[in-house]
Amino acid sequence: MDKTKRLSTTDYIYEQIKKDIIEFTYEPNGRLVEDSLAKKMEISRTPLRQALYRLELEGLIIKKANGRMAVAPMSMKEAKELFMVREVMEGLIAREATLNIAQSNDFDGIINKFEDITFLMRNSAENERKMDVVSYGSDFHSLLGEYSNNATAVNLLEQINNRVSRYRRLGVYKDPEYPRTLPVEEHEEVLKHMKAKSEHAAEAAMRAHIKRSLKNTIHGLSYLSL
């Protein structure tokens, strides 16, 4: 197998195991056995180990003292720390994106992109397609990052994004009372201030969205056996 194909295989394994961790197919603290994973995914041990090493660096899996691999635990402390950083960075990005968009010659065209995303979010929520709501919400945040022109803030978020994703899904997967349209309404609130060209109000709305998300995450943690 040539190097390009090895890298492609490693990337595939990495993405698949990451997805399974984020979506709780592999529960927190659950053991990851190389032989079982290799057999299940029908791959060799070398690309598997490379993928596991990447996931370890990102904090999604841990290596125990006995050398065995396990899914990283989740905790209230980590949740609060991650969302504290996320709130500041997401608020900053929303403010700077709103300011840049307000000064753009294509203001209406850019706003239409955000309107399309929130429309798809609402449609997904009303049809109880929970993971589509999460996906479109991520698209909304990614587009804000693009228009913020703040690579440092975007990169900081990317560094913790996978760990944050596990906590964000707690409300979707673990809380039966999670209000399906609430995240849509919060993104629509940010967009309302973007359309009004009010960057500070957009920042405040985004920070309120992240604060609420943390509260819901803390509630969702009670559904896990930590």
Side-chain angles (χ1 to χ4, degrees):
M1 187 182 294
D2 60 35
K3 182 178 179 181
T4 301
K5 193 168 184 179
R6 284 203 306 274
L7 289 174
S8 176
T9 301
T10 299
D11 290 342
Y12 167 77
I13 298 167
Y14 162 81
E15 292 294 342
Q16 186 58 52
I17 297 177
K18 180 177 73 174
K19 177 176 179 291
D20 287 341
I21 291 173
I22 289 174
E23 296 186 359
F24 297 100
T25 300
Y26 300 135
E27 293 278 354
N29 299 303
R31 185 182 171 192
L32 296 173
V33 182
E34 285 189 14
D35 287 341
S36 298
L37 288 171
K39 184 176 180 179
K40 175 184 176 181
M41 304 181 77
E42 299 181 341
I43 44 87
S44 66
R45 299 279 288 273
T46 299
L48 173 61
R49 286 172 175 169
Q50 292 171 342
L52 292 174
Y53 178 67
R54 287 172 61 182
L55 292 165
E56 183 183 6
L57 289 177
E58 293 180 7
L60 285 177
I61 66 175
I62 58 172
K63 182 177 289 187
K64 296 188 174 182
N66 59 12
R68 294 176 178 174
M69 306 297 293
V71 178
M74 299 176 74
S75 68
M76 200 75 71
K77 181 177 185 295
E78 182 185 46
K80 290 177 179 179
E81 291 173 351
L82 289 171
F83 277 81
M84 185 183 300
V85 174
R86 185 177 176 227
E87 180 192 334
V88 174
M89 293 298 101
E90 293 280 17
L92 173 62
I93 286 171
R95 184 181 77 226
E96 296 194 344
T98 300
L99 184 60
N100 292 336
I101 293 167
Q103 297 172 345
S104 172
N105 293 327
D106 188 28
F107 175 79
D108 291 336
I110 297 172
I111 290 297
N112 284 341
K113 295 180 182 179
F114 286 94
E115 289 179 330
D116 288 344
I117 294 174
T118 53
F119 172 81
L120 292 170
M121 282 186 72
R122 179 161 288 281
N123 182 66
S124 297
E126 291 174 351
N127 287 281
E128 298 188 357
R129 299 198 304 270
K130 296 179 180 180
M131 286 315 304
D132 286 343
V133 175
V134 174
S135 178
Y136 290 127
S138 295
D139 290 344
F140 188 98
H141 287 267
S142 294
L143 199 57
L144 280 175
E146 177 183 337
Y147 286 105
S148 73
N149 293 328
N150 190 326
T152 299
V154 170
N155 288 336
L156 284 171
L157 278 175
E158 287 179 350
Q159 289 176 29
I160 64 170
N161 184 55
N162 290 331
R163 289 160 65 198
V164 169
S165 292
R166 286 209 296 169
Y167 289 96
R168 288 174 62 195
R169 276 153 172 80
L170 282 174
V172 178
Y173 284 98
K174 302 295 182 179
D175 186 353
E177 299 178 357
Y178 183 76
R180 61 184 182 180
T181 61
L182 180 56
V184 183
E185 293 164 2
E186 291 173 342
H187 285 79
E188 290 172 340
E189 181 71 11
V190 174
L191 179 55
K192 179 184 76 175
H193 296 303
M194 292 169 65
K195 292 165 74 171
K197 301 182 179 181
S198 178
E199 67 270 19
H200 295 294
E203 177 182 16
M206 178 59 77
R207 294 189 67 149
H209 164 57
I210 304 302
K211 283 180 183 294
R212 193 279 310 160
S213 185
L214 173 58
K215 288 182 180 179
N216 196 79
T217 293
I218 291 173
H219 180 61
L221 281 167
S222 65
Y223 290 88
L224 293 178
S225 299
L226 298 176

